[in-house]
Structures are given as C-alpha cells and as structure tokens.
Amino acid sequence: MAEGDNRSTNLLAAETASLEEQLQGQGEVMLMVDKVLRWERAWFPPAIMGVVSLVFLTIYYLDPSVLSGVSCFVMFLCLADYLVPILAPRIFGSNKWTTEQQQRFHEICSNLVKTRRRSVGCPQPPSHLPDMTFLLLLPGLNQHGIISKYIGMAKREINKLLKQKEEKNE
C-alpha cells in the first residue's frame, strides 16, 4: 500500500513540476489572480461578480454564433498566452522572486494538478452566470471560513432535528 502512495506522490510531484515549468512566464499574474480569488482585499468579491457579470452581459449583447464565440475565446487565450510573459515583468516589476512567492506558486500549481485530477470524469464545466460566479468566489469563501461556518450551522440544525425525532419516538 505504501508503494502505491509513494508512486502517486511522485507522479503528483512530477506533474506539478511540469506545470510550474509551463506556467513560469505567467507566475506574477497567477499570484495576483490567487490573491483576488482568496479575497485578500475587501473589494475583490464585488469586483469578481462585476467582471463575470460584464462578460456575460457582453456575450448576451453581442449574441455571437457558437463558432464566433469559440473563435473569439480561443483568440483571446492565444493573445493572453503571448502577451502575459512579455508584459508581466513590465507591469509587476522585474524584481526577483522571493522564497515565499515561489512556495505560493508551487502550492497553486499543485492545487491545479489536484483539481484537474478530481475533475476528470465531470460531465461538463458550468456555463451559466451563477455557477461561474460561485466557482470564482469559492476560494475566498473557503479562505475566510464562510463555508465552514454555514456547514457547522447546518450540522447543528440536523442534530437538533434528529434529537427532536428521537425524543418524539420515546
């Protein structure tokens, strides 16, 4: 059993290292996106909802055909892939990475690999505004303990109901 765990750990480390190498040019941007998704500032959640709403409103207003929409999306991704490594050092400065930044970048890549492994077999990604908004707010909800708080409240309510049912049956 330990051999299987060791192999899985080694495979995860190899996939993480490969992803880190592929995303090295986008490191500064990934750290900034991570800060936004974890709500390090109070105005990040409304900004996320605003951007997602603006994107969906633009798609609704333009009403592109499927082919045009996919083409524009792929073109945007290619343009971002080309421009981010060029512009990121100019925008974020050419300072050297600290050990803390490198460690956070490694954690982000590791989490991306784990998420990709878990998502294999999912029917299809969400494509509606509420689903996307919730998925983008999920890291911040988790970081600030909001999910734990409401899960705890739900557990207490369920326990109360079970206790009432037991008392009623007695």
Side-chain angles (χ1 to χ4, degrees):
M1 185 72 167
E3 182 180 319
D5 291 343
N6 193 21
R7 184 186 307 167
S8 177
T9 303
N10 290 340
L11 186 58
L12 177 67
E15 287 180 40
T16 301
S18 173
L19 186 61
E20 283 180 23
E21 184 179 320
Q22 292 171 5
L23 297 176
Q24 197 60 42
Q26 288 91 357
E28 292 91 355
V29 174
M30 289 184 65
L31 289 174
M32 181 56 71
V33 168
D34 180 59
K35 289 179 181 180
V36 170
L37 291 177
R38 289 188 300 118
W39 304 356
E40 289 194 0
R41 302 240 168 115
W43 57 271
F44 284 161
I48 291 170
M49 289 186 284
V51 168
V52 171
S53 297
L54 181 66
V55 168
F56 276 88
L57 184 64
T58 303
I59 292 170
Y60 174 77
Y61 178 74
L62 295 175
D63 193 25
S65 67
V66 174
L67 182 59
S68 295
V70 170
S71 298
C72 288
F73 179 72
V74 170
M75 184 176 65
F76 176 76
L77 286 179
C78 290
L79 192 61
D81 186 47
Y82 176 73
L83 290 177
V84 166
I86 294 171
L87 297 177
R90 293 182 182 158
I91 293 171
F92 297 107
S94 60
N95 58 346
K96 299 288 183 191
W97 274 52
T98 64
T99 307
E100 181 181 319
Q101 289 173 318
Q102 183 61 39
Q103 182 180 0
R104 186 66 198 145
F105 180 68
H106 177 76
E107 289 172 15
I108 293 168
C109 290
S110 178
N111 287 337
L112 286 172
V113 168
K114 290 174 187 174
T115 301
R116 183 174 57 199
R117 284 181 167 188
R118 284 186 216 127
S119 67
V120 173
C122 288
Q124 81 182 68
S127 59
H128 298 94
L129 175 62
D131 295 338
M132 288 302 285
T133 306
F134 177 74
L135 285 177
L136 289 172
L137 292 175
L138 193 58
L141 290 169
N142 189 32
Q143 180 77 19
H144 291 275
I146 296 170
I147 293 174
S148 300
K149 175 183 171 184
Y150 285 104
I151 288 176
M153 287 172 54
K155 285 180 180 177
R156 284 191 297 275
E157 290 300 318
I158 290 171
N159 285 337
K160 283 182 189 176
L161 291 173
L162 290 174
K163 191 179 270 187
Q164 288 175 355
K165 185 177 180 179
E166 285 177 4
E167 290 173 358
K168 191 177 184 181
N169 288 339
E170 290 178 355

